[in-house]
Amino acid sequence: MSANMSDTVIGNARLVLADRVIEQGWVAMAGGRIEEIGEGAAPAGSHDAGGDLLMPGLIELHTDHLEAHFVPRPKVYWDPVAAVISYDGQLATAGITTVLDSLRVWSEEGAEGVDGQANVLADAIARARDARLLRADHFLHLRCEVPMPTVVEEAKQLAGRSDVRLMSLMDHTPGQRQFRDEGKLRDYYRGKSGGKTDAELDVMFARRFAYQQAYAAANMRDIVALAKTHDVPLASHDDTTDENVADAIKDGIAVAEFPTTMEAARGLHGAGISILMGAPNVVRGGSHSGNIAAVDLAREGLLDILSSDYVPSSLLMGALQLPKRVPAIDLAAAVRTVTKAPADAVGLHDRGEIAAGKRADLIRVHVAGDHAVVRSVWREGLRVA
């Protein structure tokens, strides 16, 4: 082919395909799609990638990092559209071209920060998108804390939006799931900016126990029904016990986020539910909450998807480190956990791999020893970073 037949041709790259790596190859993009892939020398006039990796743009299903831009200090609220733009820029330079922005869909008495702000942030994302201010493609992930009294009504206000791609069922009641060890939850809240005293935590925990007893069961049924009404995939959160697994299967869960035990992960995976774990867990070598390590799941073939969670740059880092930590996982398989697997899990089948006809969402990654940097980012064939 001739380079002038396409909008852009990138050559002299290590192409990371869904099932293999081409050590020297090229990609042609036209009309926002991948037009052709080739091995060996690229057509004349192509852009030289200098031997760097060329891989699909990363796809993020669970990050609440927008919160750090919206409330950068306790009780300091930034302009929400400006916060979205800043956050979006950080995602793009981390190689993330598609993101499900995780919004807290609940209000809690005595809570500050982003609680109760889901509508504000969802509208800010839409305004920034409509004004063409964003580099990544943004969708919504509604995080529903099922024991909270208002969570169902707040979820109803957002669930019908066309950009909602995932709803997750969460229960952070002290003493179960992620925080079976109540002491770790106390440490978490003490360590946050403006950390709470033990007396304040006593009041909060007592209130949460009461909420769970009064509201959790009915709210769970209503949110599952709401997701099914709007044909939105569901995610479970912090599954720990056989009972949690049975509930996930009954509710038609598509993605299990951060299972905390090997037993739960085995049950979920055996039921065909995709397992999502945090990339920071891979990078740090373990869970910050003291639960199961992501690499241990990977060694057993139980890890499907990685999420950057609270550190956007960890998504690329985690994927590149997986083959070193788990030799049975090659580079192509590791990259699938941050591209094709998350895309397929939420029905975004037009992206997530370098293949003819797919969206031309690509990143050029330069690797030096144990570190990597994203040199270039294309979204639908347009250079955005």
Side-chain angles (χ1 to χ4, degrees):
M1 66 163 288
S2 170
N4 59 19
M5 293 172 60
S6 300
D7 296 340
T8 304
V9 180
I10 306 166
N12 190 24
R14 293 183 66 208
L15 303 184
V16 184
L17 306 185
D19 59 352
R20 65 190 177 106
V21 175
I22 296 175
E23 291 300 325
Q24 183 186 30
W26 52 271
V27 173
M29 300 180 277
R33 300 279 167 170
I34 295 171
E35 183 180 45
E36 191 174 352
I37 301 164
E39 297 193 43
S46 65
H47 296 273
D48 188 347
D52 288 341
L53 292 172
L54 191 67
M55 62 177 66
L58 309 185
I59 296 175
E60 173 59 73
L61 298 189
H62 179 120
T63 176
D64 50 17
H65 200 62
L66 174 55
E67 298 171 0
H69 293 261
F70 180 48
V71 187
R73 291 288 186 272
K75 300 182 181 180
V76 174
Y77 291 83
W78 209 242
D79 174 273
V81 173
V84 170
I85 295 168
S86 173
Y87 155 74
D88 170 78
Q90 185 176 11
L91 297 180
T93 56
I96 297 169
T97 55
T98 298
V99 58
L100 271 59
D101 302 311
S102 302
L103 304 183
R104 299 190 198 188
V105 185
W106 74 88
S107 302
E108 181 175 8
E109 181 184 347
E112 297 177 351
V114 296
D115 286 354
Q117 300 290 326
N119 275 303
V120 172
L121 292 175
D123 289 345
I125 293 164
R127 288 165 58 195
R129 181 195 298 120
D130 292 345
R132 301 177 64 187
L133 294 170
L134 302 179
R135 307 182 203 196
D137 201 8
H138 288 252
F139 297 95
L140 300 184
H141 169 174
L142 307 184
R143 302 174 65 217
C144 303
E145 185 71 15
V146 294
M148 293 300 166
T150 62
V151 66
V152 175
E153 289 307 311
E154 293 182 42
K156 285 179 178 178
Q157 296 174 24
L158 292 165
R161 295 172 61 115
S162 61
D163 53 355
V164 174
R165 280 283 173 170
L166 189 65
M167 294 174 65
S168 56
L169 305 165
M170 306 189 306
D171 187 342
H172 289 98
T173 304
Q176 64 175 37
R177 293 186 179 251
Q178 180 182 1
F179 293 109
R180 283 186 295 174
D181 182 347
E182 185 179 308
K184 291 188 179 296
L185 184 57
R186 286 182 178 270
D187 290 342
Y188 171 77
Y189 279 113
R190 290 191 197 105
K192 293 186 72 173
S193 296
K196 294 183 178 295
T197 67
D198 279 332
E200 290 172 326
L201 290 175
D202 288 342
V203 172
M204 174 190 282
F205 289 4
R207 184 171 61 240
R208 288 188 176 182
F209 285 126
Y211 283 166
Q212 188 193 52
Q213 291 296 312
Y215 302 109
N219 285 353
M220 180 77 80
R221 291 193 298 269
D222 288 348
I223 293 171
V224 169
L226 183 65
K228 291 179 179 178
T229 296
H230 293 285
D231 198 24
V232 176
L234 276 166
S236 60
H237 198 75
D238 301 329
D239 293 309
T240 301
T241 66
D242 290 342
E243 183 181 3
N244 297 153
V245 174
D247 286 342
I249 295 169
K250 172 178 62 69
D251 292 334
I253 295 298
V255 178
E257 300 183 313
F258 318 116
T260 68
T261 64
M262 186 67 74
E263 293 73 20
R266 289 180 182 134
L268 293 159
H269 203 269
I273 297 172
S274 296
I275 304 293
L276 178 151
M277 294 293 284
N281 187 313
V282 174
V283 174
R284 297 178 66 251
S287 164
H288 75 277
S289 301
N291 296 312
I292 194 71
V295 293
D296 289 341
L297 295 184
R299 291 189 183 103
E300 291 215 11
L302 302 176
L303 175 64
D304 300 299
I305 298 169
L306 284 178
S307 159
S308 71
D309 199 5
Y310 55 94
V311 184
S313 62
S314 71
L315 200 57
L316 178 62
M317 293 173 67
L320 294 181
Q321 288 184 19
L322 259 185
K324 299 176 183 178
R325 295 179 181 268
V326 187
I329 297 178
D330 62 17
L331 180 60
V335 169
R336 282 200 304 273
T337 68
V338 295
T339 55
K340 190 175 189 303
D344 288 346
V346 294
L348 294 171
H349 301 298
D350 62 343
R351 68 197 75 190
E353 61 179 312
I354 298 179
K358 298 289 186 177
R359 277 174 52 128
D361 294 352
L362 300 170
I363 58 173
R364 174 187 168 189
V365 178
H366 178 71
V367 179
D370 292 332
H371 296 92
V373 64
V374 177
R375 295 283 195 202
S376 308
V377 180
W378 293 265
R379 177 185 153 198
E380 292 187 284
L382 296 177
R383 177 82 179 270
V384 295

